[in-house]
Amino acid sequence: MLAWNLRTNVRHNRARIYIVNHEEIKLRRQAKAFLAVPANGYAAAVSFLAGNDGAIPVDEEAKAFRDAVRGEQELLIVFGSEFRGRDIESLVHFGLGLPSVKFACLGDYVNSRGAADMGLLPDLLPGYVPVENAGGFAEEYGASLPAPPGLDLVQMFDAAGRGELGALYVVGANPISRYGIDPEALSKTFLIVQDMFLTETALLADVVFPAANLYEKSGTVTNTYGDLQLVKKAADRAGVRTDFELIVRLADRAGVSPRSLVPFGAGVRADMGETRGAQSGEADRHAVWLAANHLEIKVSPFDPFAILDEIQRLVPGYRTSRLELLAGNAAHVETPLVQIEAAPGPASGRRDLVLPARDTLFTSGTLGRYSAMLHAVQESHSTQPVEAAAD
C-alpha cells in the first residue's frame, strides 16, 4: 500500500524516489536513482551517504546518488527490518543533518506505531518514557509501576523454553507462525491467546478468548506516520469482545478493581449512535456488566472517548484536536524520538523492534490468509502473471 502511494505521488506530484536496496524491487522503475548494496550492507551505505567514501566501493554513479539525496530540501526516509539498534541510530543521525527530514519505520501491522506509542515495548512507558525514569507516570501509578524493564519478545520465548515463564498472554499475534517459534518452547508455560482466529499459536493455548476485529469496536488507531484516526464501529457479532474489555474483565477476575483500569466518569456521555441498530445488543450486555459491578452506565463500559481522554492526559504528543477526529480527519501526533545511548544497552541489543514480513499477503497474511478470494487472486497471478498499468 505504501508503494502504491509512492507511485501515485510520482505520477501526480513528480515526487523523486531514491532507493537503497539489496534487491531489484518494483519501485526501482519509478525511482530517480538506485544504489545497490549487499544484504548486510545497509549500515555501510548510511556511512557512505554521511560522507565516508571508504564505507562501500565508490564509483561516479554512487557519488551522484549521494549528492542528489543530500541536495533534497525535503526528504522522507522510509526504512524497514534491515535496520536494527545502532544502525537505526546512524540512519537518524544522518537524516537529522539534512535540511528537512521525516522518518517512517515500517512495522508490519496497521497499528504497530500506536501500540509502541502506548507503551507496549518492555523498556518504555507510553510516549517512549523510559521505565527507569517514569516521571509523571510514577506520580500517577505510584508503587504499582514496575521499575526494571521487562523481557522483549525473544527473551520471553527463551525463558518459556527453559521453563522459567509461568504464563504467557498473547493478544492479536501469532508468534508460532510469524516468528518461527518452536511450539515446544511453549509446552511448559500456561498459554492464553486472544485473537480473531484459531491461529497456530491459539491451537496450542490452554485458554482462547475470541476477540472483536477493528470494525466491531470503536476507538482510534495510529498509523506508521503518526496520524491518529478515529475508528467507528460498523457491526456487532455475538460471542466476541474487544481486546480492552477482555483484558479488564480478566483483571477483574484476578482481583484488580476495574475502576483503577478504566477512567469511568470522564468521557463523552452523549449517545454516539452505538446504542441503536446492530450495536444495541452489545450496549445492553455492557450495561448489565456495569450495573453488576456498580459502575456508571454509559454508552459503552469502556467508552472510547473516555479512554482517549486518559491517553491525551498522560501520553506525550497525543494532545490532538478532538474536533478534527470527529470531523473524520486524521490528527498527527508528535512523539519524541527515542534516545539511544552510545554505550551498549537494551536498545542496541533489542531483537524484536522490527521484524521482516515473510509472506506476500498484507501484514504477513495475518488476516488475508483466511480469505479464499485473496488466495484465488494470488494463485491466478502466480500461474498467469499479468502486468497491470498500476504496476
PDB file of all heavy atoms in Angstrom, residues 252-290:
ATOM      1  N   ASP A 252     -10.366  -8.046  36.426  1.00  0.00           N
ATOM      2  CA  ASP A 252     -11.402  -8.022  37.449  1.00  0.00           C
ATOM      3  C   ASP A 252     -11.490  -9.374  38.158  1.00  0.00           C
ATOM      4  O   ASP A 252     -11.565  -9.453  39.384  1.00  0.00           O
ATOM      5  CB  ASP A 252     -12.737  -7.665  36.793  1.00  0.00           C
ATOM      6  CG  ASP A 252     -13.901  -7.694  37.770  1.00  0.00           C
ATOM      7  OD1 ASP A 252     -13.746  -7.154  38.881  1.00  0.00           O
ATOM      8  OD2 ASP A 252     -14.947  -8.265  37.425  1.00  0.00           O
ATOM      9  N   ARG A 253     -11.456 -10.477  37.371  1.00  0.00           N
ATOM     10  CA  ARG A 253     -11.493 -11.815  37.960  1.00  0.00           C
ATOM     11  C   ARG A 253     -10.238 -12.103  38.774  1.00  0.00           C
ATOM     12  O   ARG A 253     -10.258 -12.926  39.692  1.00  0.00           O
ATOM     13  CB  ARG A 253     -11.657 -12.863  36.858  1.00  0.00           C
ATOM     14  CG  ARG A 253     -13.006 -12.847  36.162  1.00  0.00           C
ATOM     15  CD  ARG A 253     -14.129 -13.174  37.126  1.00  0.00           C
ATOM     16  NE  ARG A 253     -15.409 -13.282  36.463  1.00  0.00           N
ATOM     17  CZ  ARG A 253     -15.921 -14.414  35.983  1.00  0.00           C
ATOM     18  NH1 ARG A 253     -15.237 -15.544  36.112  1.00  0.00           N
ATOM     19  NH2 ARG A 253     -17.089 -14.420  35.393  1.00  0.00           N
ATOM     20  N   ALA A 254      -9.134 -11.428  38.428  1.00  0.00           N
ATOM     21  CA  ALA A 254      -7.875 -11.645  39.147  1.00  0.00           C
ATOM     22  C   ALA A 254      -7.771 -10.790  40.398  1.00  0.00           C
ATOM     23  O   ALA A 254      -6.750 -10.806  41.084  1.00  0.00           O
ATOM     24  CB  ALA A 254      -6.687 -11.373  38.219  1.00  0.00           C
ATOM     25  N   GLY A 255      -8.834  -9.997  40.673  1.00  0.00           N
ATOM     26  CA  GLY A 255      -8.848  -9.233  41.899  1.00  0.00           C
ATOM     27  C   GLY A 255      -8.464  -7.777  41.777  1.00  0.00           C
ATOM     28  O   GLY A 255      -8.317  -7.087  42.781  1.00  0.00           O
ATOM     29  N   VAL A 256      -8.298  -7.282  40.539  1.00  0.00           N
ATOM     30  CA  VAL A 256      -7.962  -5.870  40.340  1.00  0.00           C
ATOM     31  C   VAL A 256      -9.252  -5.084  40.150  1.00  0.00           C
ATOM     32  O   VAL A 256     -10.148  -5.509  39.424  1.00  0.00           O
ATOM     33  CB  VAL A 256      -7.057  -5.696  39.098  1.00  0.00           C
ATOM     34  CG1 VAL A 256      -6.746  -4.220  38.868  1.00  0.00           C
ATOM     35  CG2 VAL A 256      -5.773  -6.480  39.271  1.00  0.00           C
ATOM     36  N   SER A 257      -9.364  -3.942  40.767  1.00  0.00           N
ATOM     37  CA  SER A 257     -10.557  -3.117  40.640  1.00  0.00           C
ATOM     38  C   SER A 257     -10.638  -2.503  39.242  1.00  0.00           C
ATOM     39  O   SER A 257      -9.700  -1.828  38.812  1.00  0.00           O
ATOM     40  CB  SER A 257     -10.555  -1.991  41.671  1.00  0.00           C
ATOM     41  OG  SER A 257     -11.578  -1.053  41.381  1.00  0.00           O
ATOM     42  N   PRO A 258     -11.754  -2.727  38.517  1.00  0.00           N
ATOM     43  CA  PRO A 258     -11.882  -2.111  37.190  1.00  0.00           C
ATOM     44  C   PRO A 258     -11.785  -0.600  37.232  1.00  0.00           C
ATOM     45  O   PRO A 258     -11.369   0.028  36.260  1.00  0.00           O
ATOM     46  CB  PRO A 258     -13.271  -2.571  36.724  1.00  0.00           C
ATOM     47  CG  PRO A 258     -13.569  -3.788  37.517  1.00  0.00           C
ATOM     48  CD  PRO A 258     -12.894  -3.585  38.838  1.00  0.00           C
ATOM     49  N   ARG A 259     -12.174  -0.003  38.376  1.00  0.00           N
ATOM     50  CA  ARG A 259     -12.104   1.455  38.484  1.00  0.00           C
ATOM     51  C   ARG A 259     -10.668   1.976  38.356  1.00  0.00           C
ATOM     52  O   ARG A 259     -10.441   3.119  37.954  1.00  0.00           O
ATOM     53  CB  ARG A 259     -12.688   1.899  39.822  1.00  0.00           C
ATOM     54  CG  ARG A 259     -14.189   1.720  39.921  1.00  0.00           C
ATOM     55  CD  ARG A 259     -14.701   2.229  41.255  1.00  0.00           C
ATOM     56  NE  ARG A 259     -16.131   2.055  41.356  1.00  0.00           N
ATOM     57  CZ  ARG A 259     -17.029   2.904  40.869  1.00  0.00           C
ATOM     58  NH1 ARG A 259     -16.611   3.983  40.226  1.00  0.00           N
ATOM     59  NH2 ARG A 259     -18.314   2.682  41.009  1.00  0.00           N
ATOM     60  N   SER A 260      -9.695   1.148  38.727  1.00  0.00           N
ATOM     61  CA  SER A 260      -8.298   1.574  38.634  1.00  0.00           C
ATOM     62  C   SER A 260      -7.754   1.408  37.221  1.00  0.00           C
ATOM     63  O   SER A 260      -6.668   1.881  36.917  1.00  0.00           O
ATOM     64  CB  SER A 260      -7.441   0.774  39.617  1.00  0.00           C
ATOM     65  OG  SER A 260      -7.377  -0.599  39.233  1.00  0.00           O
ATOM     66  N   LEU A 261      -8.505   0.726  36.348  1.00  0.00           N
ATOM     67  CA  LEU A 261      -8.040   0.458  34.994  1.00  0.00           C
ATOM     68  C   LEU A 261      -8.768   1.287  33.942  1.00  0.00           C
ATOM     69  O   LEU A 261      -8.210   1.569  32.888  1.00  0.00           O
ATOM     70  CB  LEU A 261      -8.216  -1.030  34.654  1.00  0.00           C
ATOM     71  CG  LEU A 261      -7.515  -2.026  35.574  1.00  0.00           C
ATOM     72  CD1 LEU A 261      -7.907  -3.441  35.185  1.00  0.00           C
ATOM     73  CD2 LEU A 261      -6.014  -1.845  35.491  1.00  0.00           C
ATOM     74  N   VAL A 262     -10.017   1.644  34.216  1.00  0.00           N
ATOM     75  CA  VAL A 262     -10.831   2.342  33.232  1.00  0.00           C
ATOM     76  C   VAL A 262     -11.255   3.690  33.781  1.00  0.00           C
ATOM     77  O   VAL A 262     -11.757   3.763  34.903  1.00  0.00           O
ATOM     78  CB  VAL A 262     -12.092   1.511  32.884  1.00  0.00           C
ATOM     79  CG1 VAL A 262     -12.907   2.220  31.812  1.00  0.00           C
ATOM     80  CG2 VAL A 262     -11.698   0.126  32.426  1.00  0.00           C
ATOM     81  N   PRO A 263     -11.075   4.775  33.042  1.00  0.00           N
ATOM     82  CA  PRO A 263     -11.429   6.109  33.543  1.00  0.00           C
ATOM     83  C   PRO A 263     -12.935   6.350  33.497  1.00  0.00           C
ATOM     84  O   PRO A 263     -13.427   7.169  32.730  1.00  0.00           O
ATOM     85  CB  PRO A 263     -10.669   7.041  32.594  1.00  0.00           C
ATOM     86  CG  PRO A 263     -10.576   6.276  31.313  1.00  0.00           C
ATOM     87  CD  PRO A 263     -10.445   4.829  31.715  1.00  0.00           C
ATOM     88  N   PHE A 264     -13.704   5.622  34.285  1.00  0.00           N
ATOM     89  CA  PHE A 264     -15.149   5.829  34.323  1.00  0.00           C
ATOM     90  C   PHE A 264     -15.471   7.237  34.815  1.00  0.00           C
ATOM     91  O   PHE A 264     -14.839   7.747  35.730  1.00  0.00           O
ATOM     92  CB  PHE A 264     -15.812   4.804  35.256  1.00  0.00           C
ATOM     93  CG  PHE A 264     -15.821   3.414  34.691  1.00  0.00           C
ATOM     94  CD1 PHE A 264     -14.880   2.489  35.093  1.00  0.00           C
ATOM     95  CD2 PHE A 264     -16.758   3.047  33.756  1.00  0.00           C
ATOM     96  CE1 PHE A 264     -14.876   1.212  34.581  1.00  0.00           C
ATOM     97  CE2 PHE A 264     -16.766   1.770  33.234  1.00  0.00           C
ATOM     98  CZ  PHE A 264     -15.828   0.847  33.643  1.00  0.00           C
ATOM     99  N   GLY A 265     -16.467   7.833  34.166  1.00  0.00           N
ATOM    100  CA  GLY A 265     -16.925   9.144  34.613  1.00  0.00           C
ATOM    101  C   GLY A 265     -16.214  10.305  33.972  1.00  0.00           C
ATOM    102  O   GLY A 265     -16.507  11.447  34.276  1.00  0.00           O
ATOM    103  N   ALA A 266     -15.274  10.065  33.042  1.00  0.00           N
ATOM    104  CA  ALA A 266     -14.509  11.174  32.465  1.00  0.00           C
ATOM    105  C   ALA A 266     -14.847  11.448  31.008  1.00  0.00           C
ATOM    106  O   ALA A 266     -14.539  12.490  30.486  1.00  0.00           O
ATOM    107  CB  ALA A 266     -13.010  10.883  32.578  1.00  0.00           C
ATOM    108  N   GLY A 267     -15.485  10.498  30.322  1.00  0.00           N
ATOM    109  CA  GLY A 267     -15.627  10.614  28.873  1.00  0.00           C
ATOM    110  C   GLY A 267     -16.903  11.289  28.419  1.00  0.00           C
ATOM    111  O   GLY A 267     -17.660  11.870  29.188  1.00  0.00           O
ATOM    112  N   VAL A 268     -17.145  11.203  27.108  1.00  0.00           N
ATOM    113  CA  VAL A 268     -18.342  11.765  26.498  1.00  0.00           C
ATOM    114  C   VAL A 268     -19.536  10.889  26.855  1.00  0.00           C
ATOM    115  O   VAL A 268     -19.501   9.680  26.652  1.00  0.00           O
ATOM    116  CB  VAL A 268     -18.173  11.837  24.967  1.00  0.00           C
ATOM    117  CG1 VAL A 268     -19.461  12.307  24.317  1.00  0.00           C
ATOM    118  CG2 VAL A 268     -17.038  12.774  24.617  1.00  0.00           C
ATOM    119  N   ARG A 269     -20.611  11.492  27.345  1.00  0.00           N
ATOM    120  CA  ARG A 269     -21.770  10.700  27.748  1.00  0.00           C
ATOM    121  C   ARG A 269     -22.866  10.694  26.690  1.00  0.00           C
ATOM    122  O   ARG A 269     -23.856   9.997  26.802  1.00  0.00           O
ATOM    123  CB  ARG A 269     -22.331  11.231  29.062  1.00  0.00           C
ATOM    124  CG  ARG A 269     -21.432  10.920  30.230  1.00  0.00           C
ATOM    125  CD  ARG A 269     -21.854  11.692  31.445  1.00  0.00           C
ATOM    126  NE  ARG A 269     -21.053  11.341  32.609  1.00  0.00           N
ATOM    127  CZ  ARG A 269     -19.806  11.694  32.803  1.00  0.00           C
ATOM    128  NH1 ARG A 269     -19.175  12.403  31.894  1.00  0.00           N
ATOM    129  NH2 ARG A 269     -19.149  11.338  33.885  1.00  0.00           N
ATOM    130  N   ALA A 270     -22.749  11.528  25.670  1.00  0.00           N
ATOM    131  CA  ALA A 270     -23.785  11.592  24.642  1.00  0.00           C
ATOM    132  C   ALA A 270     -23.849  10.291  23.864  1.00  0.00           C
ATOM    133  O   ALA A 270     -22.860   9.586  23.719  1.00  0.00           O
ATOM    134  CB  ALA A 270     -23.498  12.751  23.693  1.00  0.00           C
ATOM    135  N   ASP A 271     -25.038   9.977  23.374  1.00  0.00           N
ATOM    136  CA  ASP A 271     -25.220   8.768  22.577  1.00  0.00           C
ATOM    137  C   ASP A 271     -24.607   8.999  21.199  1.00  0.00           C
ATOM    138  O   ASP A 271     -25.072   9.841  20.434  1.00  0.00           O
ATOM    139  CB  ASP A 271     -26.722   8.468  22.459  1.00  0.00           C
ATOM    140  CG  ASP A 271     -26.991   7.122  21.815  1.00  0.00           C
ATOM    141  OD1 ASP A 271     -26.153   6.691  21.010  1.00  0.00           O
ATOM    142  OD2 ASP A 271     -28.030   6.521  22.116  1.00  0.00           O
ATOM    143  N   MET A 272     -23.538   8.256  20.879  1.00  0.00           N
ATOM    144  CA  MET A 272     -22.850   8.417  19.591  1.00  0.00           C
ATOM    145  C   MET A 272     -23.410   7.479  18.534  1.00  0.00           C
ATOM    146  O   MET A 272     -22.764   7.208  17.528  1.00  0.00           O
ATOM    147  CB  MET A 272     -21.348   8.148  19.770  1.00  0.00           C
ATOM    148  CG  MET A 272     -20.689   8.950  20.873  1.00  0.00           C
ATOM    149  SD  MET A 272     -20.739  10.740  20.591  1.00  0.00           S
ATOM    150  CE  MET A 272     -19.531  10.870  19.276  1.00  0.00           C
ATOM    151  N   GLY A 273     -24.620   6.951  18.758  1.00  0.00           N
ATOM    152  CA  GLY A 273     -25.222   6.048  17.783  1.00  0.00           C
ATOM    153  C   GLY A 273     -24.932   4.598  18.058  1.00  0.00           C
ATOM    154  O   GLY A 273     -25.385   3.721  17.333  1.00  0.00           O
ATOM    155  N   GLU A 274     -24.186   4.298  19.119  1.00  0.00           N
ATOM    156  CA  GLU A 274     -23.782   2.918  19.369  1.00  0.00           C
ATOM    157  C   GLU A 274     -24.863   2.103  20.072  1.00  0.00           C
ATOM    158  O   GLU A 274     -24.749   0.899  20.184  1.00  0.00           O
ATOM    159  CB  GLU A 274     -22.504   2.893  20.210  1.00  0.00           C
ATOM    160  CG  GLU A 274     -21.308   3.442  19.473  1.00  0.00           C
ATOM    161  CD  GLU A 274     -20.051   3.344  20.313  1.00  0.00           C
ATOM    162  OE1 GLU A 274     -19.909   2.377  21.063  1.00  0.00           O
ATOM    163  OE2 GLU A 274     -19.218   4.240  20.223  1.00  0.00           O
ATOM    164  N   THR A 275     -25.939   2.769  20.572  1.00  0.00           N
ATOM    165  CA  THR A 275     -26.990   2.025  21.261  1.00  0.00           C
ATOM    166  C   THR A 275     -28.170   1.747  20.347  1.00  0.00           C
ATOM    167  O   THR A 275     -29.216   1.310  20.799  1.00  0.00           O
ATOM    168  CB  THR A 275     -27.485   2.821  22.482  1.00  0.00           C
ATOM    169  OG1 THR A 275     -27.974   4.089  22.043  1.00  0.00           O
ATOM    170  CG2 THR A 275     -26.378   3.012  23.484  1.00  0.00           C
ATOM    171  N   ARG A 276     -28.014   2.008  19.064  1.00  0.00           N
ATOM    172  CA  ARG A 276     -29.103   1.757  18.129  1.00  0.00           C
ATOM    173  C   ARG A 276     -28.676   0.724  17.094  1.00  0.00           C
ATOM    174  O   ARG A 276     -27.494   0.548  16.821  1.00  0.00           O
ATOM    175  CB  ARG A 276     -29.509   3.052  17.423  1.00  0.00           C
ATOM    176  CG  ARG A 276     -30.064   4.102  18.361  1.00  0.00           C
ATOM    177  CD  ARG A 276     -30.629   5.270  17.578  1.00  0.00           C
ATOM    178  NE  ARG A 276     -29.564   6.066  16.971  1.00  0.00           N
ATOM    179  CZ  ARG A 276     -28.940   7.037  17.581  1.00  0.00           C
ATOM    180  NH1 ARG A 276     -29.245   7.349  18.816  1.00  0.00           N
ATOM    181  NH2 ARG A 276     -28.009   7.731  16.970  1.00  0.00           N
ATOM    182  N   GLY A 277     -29.644   0.090  16.477  1.00  0.00           N
ATOM    183  CA  GLY A 277     -29.396  -0.825  15.372  1.00  0.00           C
ATOM    184  C   GLY A 277     -28.608  -2.046  15.798  1.00  0.00           C
ATOM    185  O   GLY A 277     -28.843  -2.627  16.856  1.00  0.00           O
ATOM    186  N   ALA A 278     -27.624  -2.434  14.975  1.00  0.00           N
ATOM    187  CA  ALA A 278     -26.881  -3.674  15.191  1.00  0.00           C
ATOM    188  C   ALA A 278     -26.084  -3.649  16.480  1.00  0.00           C
ATOM    189  O   ALA A 278     -25.764  -4.681  17.049  1.00  0.00           O
ATOM    190  CB  ALA A 278     -25.943  -3.927  14.008  1.00  0.00           C
ATOM    191  N   GLN A 279     -25.785  -2.433  16.971  1.00  0.00           N
ATOM    192  CA  GLN A 279     -24.940  -2.332  18.153  1.00  0.00           C
ATOM    193  C   GLN A 279     -25.722  -2.437  19.459  1.00  0.00           C
ATOM    194  O   GLN A 279     -25.136  -2.515  20.529  1.00  0.00           O
ATOM    195  CB  GLN A 279     -24.181  -0.995  18.152  1.00  0.00           C
ATOM    196  CG  GLN A 279     -23.203  -0.847  17.013  1.00  0.00           C
ATOM    197  CD  GLN A 279     -23.875  -0.322  15.763  1.00  0.00           C
ATOM    198  OE1 GLN A 279     -25.079  -0.146  15.750  1.00  0.00           O
ATOM    199  NE2 GLN A 279     -23.111  -0.108  14.705  1.00  0.00           N
ATOM    200  N   SER A 280     -27.057  -2.403  19.419  1.00  0.00           N
ATOM    201  CA  SER A 280     -27.832  -2.299  20.653  1.00  0.00           C
ATOM    202  C   SER A 280     -27.645  -3.510  21.559  1.00  0.00           C
ATOM    203  O   SER A 280     -27.619  -3.379  22.777  1.00  0.00           O
ATOM    204  CB  SER A 280     -29.320  -2.124  20.328  1.00  0.00           C
ATOM    205  OG  SER A 280     -29.793  -3.239  19.587  1.00  0.00           O
ATOM    206  N   GLY A 281     -27.499  -4.704  20.972  1.00  0.00           N
ATOM    207  CA  GLY A 281     -27.304  -5.903  21.790  1.00  0.00           C
ATOM    208  C   GLY A 281     -26.051  -5.825  22.627  1.00  0.00           C
ATOM    209  O   GLY A 281     -26.056  -6.151  23.818  1.00  0.00           O
ATOM    210  N   GLU A 282     -24.972  -5.326  22.019  1.00  0.00           N
ATOM    211  CA  GLU A 282     -23.722  -5.222  22.771  1.00  0.00           C
ATOM    212  C   GLU A 282     -23.856  -4.184  23.877  1.00  0.00           C
ATOM    213  O   GLU A 282     -23.410  -4.388  25.002  1.00  0.00           O
ATOM    214  CB  GLU A 282     -22.571  -4.843  21.837  1.00  0.00           C
ATOM    215  CG  GLU A 282     -21.242  -4.830  22.562  1.00  0.00           C
ATOM    216  CD  GLU A 282     -20.137  -4.131  21.789  1.00  0.00           C
ATOM    217  OE1 GLU A 282     -20.455  -3.479  20.780  1.00  0.00           O
ATOM    218  OE2 GLU A 282     -18.998  -4.235  22.214  1.00  0.00           O
ATOM    219  N   ALA A 283     -24.510  -3.042  23.574  1.00  0.00           N
ATOM    220  CA  ALA A 283     -24.667  -1.994  24.571  1.00  0.00           C
ATOM    221  C   ALA A 283     -25.464  -2.516  25.768  1.00  0.00           C
ATOM    222  O   ALA A 283     -25.159  -2.200  26.916  1.00  0.00           O
ATOM    223  CB  ALA A 283     -25.366  -0.779  23.954  1.00  0.00           C
ATOM    224  N   ASP A 284     -26.481  -3.332  25.505  1.00  0.00           N
ATOM    225  CA  ASP A 284     -27.279  -3.893  26.591  1.00  0.00           C
ATOM    226  C   ASP A 284     -26.432  -4.815  27.463  1.00  0.00           C
ATOM    227  O   ASP A 284     -26.506  -4.766  28.691  1.00  0.00           O
ATOM    228  CB  ASP A 284     -28.483  -4.666  26.033  1.00  0.00           C
ATOM    229  CG  ASP A 284     -29.505  -3.735  25.389  1.00  0.00           C
ATOM    230  OD1 ASP A 284     -29.467  -2.533  25.689  1.00  0.00           O
ATOM    231  OD2 ASP A 284     -30.324  -4.224  24.589  1.00  0.00           O
ATOM    232  N   ARG A 285     -25.625  -5.669  26.839  1.00  0.00           N
ATOM    233  CA  ARG A 285     -24.773  -6.582  27.609  1.00  0.00           C
ATOM    234  C   ARG A 285     -23.789  -5.796  28.467  1.00  0.00           C
ATOM    235  O   ARG A 285     -23.524  -6.125  29.620  1.00  0.00           O
ATOM    236  CB  ARG A 285     -24.002  -7.526  26.674  1.00  0.00           C
ATOM    237  CG  ARG A 285     -24.861  -8.563  25.987  1.00  0.00           C
ATOM    238  CD  ARG A 285     -23.985  -9.679  25.427  1.00  0.00           C
ATOM    239  NE  ARG A 285     -22.935  -9.181  24.567  1.00  0.00           N
ATOM    240  CZ  ARG A 285     -23.086  -8.943  23.262  1.00  0.00           C
ATOM    241  NH1 ARG A 285     -24.260  -9.154  22.697  1.00  0.00           N
ATOM    242  NH2 ARG A 285     -22.086  -8.509  22.537  1.00  0.00           N
ATOM    243  N   HIS A 286     -23.230  -4.725  27.886  1.00  0.00           N
ATOM    244  CA  HIS A 286     -22.284  -3.903  28.623  1.00  0.00           C
ATOM    245  C   HIS A 286     -22.967  -3.266  29.841  1.00  0.00           C
ATOM    246  O   HIS A 286     -22.391  -3.196  30.924  1.00  0.00           O
ATOM    247  CB  HIS A 286     -21.726  -2.798  27.725  1.00  0.00           C
ATOM    248  CG  HIS A 286     -20.820  -3.309  26.658  1.00  0.00           C
ATOM    249  ND1 HIS A 286     -20.278  -4.569  26.675  1.00  0.00           N
ATOM    250  CD2 HIS A 286     -20.350  -2.721  25.519  1.00  0.00           C
ATOM    251  CE1 HIS A 286     -19.521  -4.738  25.610  1.00  0.00           C
ATOM    252  NE2 HIS A 286     -19.557  -3.632  24.896  1.00  0.00           N
ATOM    253  N   ALA A 287     -24.193  -2.779  29.649  1.00  0.00           N
ATOM    254  CA  ALA A 287     -24.904  -2.119  30.736  1.00  0.00           C
ATOM    255  C   ALA A 287     -25.145  -3.090  31.896  1.00  0.00           C
ATOM    256  O   ALA A 287     -25.035  -2.715  33.068  1.00  0.00           O
ATOM    257  CB  ALA A 287     -26.227  -1.559  30.227  1.00  0.00           C
ATOM    258  N   VAL A 288     -25.470  -4.353  31.563  1.00  0.00           N
ATOM    259  CA  VAL A 288     -25.678  -5.364  32.601  1.00  0.00           C
ATOM    260  C   VAL A 288     -24.400  -5.574  33.399  1.00  0.00           C
ATOM    261  O   VAL A 288     -24.401  -5.624  34.638  1.00  0.00           O
ATOM    262  CB  VAL A 288     -26.159  -6.698  31.985  1.00  0.00           C
ATOM    263  CG1 VAL A 288     -26.139  -7.813  33.028  1.00  0.00           C
ATOM    264  CG2 VAL A 288     -27.553  -6.536  31.405  1.00  0.00           C
ATOM    265  N   TRP A 289     -23.261  -5.683  32.707  1.00  0.00           N
ATOM    266  CA  TRP A 289     -21.987  -5.909  33.396  1.00  0.00           C
ATOM    267  C   TRP A 289     -21.625  -4.713  34.264  1.00  0.00           C
ATOM    268  O   TRP A 289     -21.156  -4.843  35.390  1.00  0.00           O
ATOM    269  CB  TRP A 289     -20.890  -6.190  32.380  1.00  0.00           C
ATOM    270  CG  TRP A 289     -19.591  -6.578  33.016  1.00  0.00           C
ATOM    271  CD1 TRP A 289     -19.245  -7.803  33.497  1.00  0.00           C
ATOM    272  CD2 TRP A 289     -18.463  -5.734  33.264  1.00  0.00           C
ATOM    273  NE1 TRP A 289     -17.975  -7.779  34.013  1.00  0.00           N
ATOM    274  CE2 TRP A 289     -17.474  -6.525  33.890  1.00  0.00           C
ATOM    275  CE3 TRP A 289     -18.204  -4.394  33.012  1.00  0.00           C
ATOM    276  CZ2 TRP A 289     -16.253  -6.020  34.260  1.00  0.00           C
ATOM    277  CZ3 TRP A 289     -16.977  -3.872  33.385  1.00  0.00           C
ATOM    278  CH2 TRP A 289     -16.013  -4.685  33.999  1.00  0.00           C
ATOM    279  N   LEU A 290     -21.870  -3.508  33.741  1.00  0.00           N
ATOM    280  CA  LEU A 290     -21.574  -2.301  34.510  1.00  0.00           C
ATOM    281  C   LEU A 290     -22.407  -2.244  35.785  1.00  0.00           C
ATOM    282  O   LEU A 290     -21.898  -1.955  36.870  1.00  0.00           O
ATOM    283  CB  LEU A 290     -21.863  -1.068  33.652  1.00  0.00           C
ATOM    284  CG  LEU A 290     -20.804  -0.686  32.631  1.00  0.00           C
ATOM    285  CD1 LEU A 290     -21.328   0.426  31.749  1.00  0.00           C
ATOM    286  CD2 LEU A 290     -19.528  -0.259  33.301  1.00  0.00           C
TER     287      LEU A 290
END
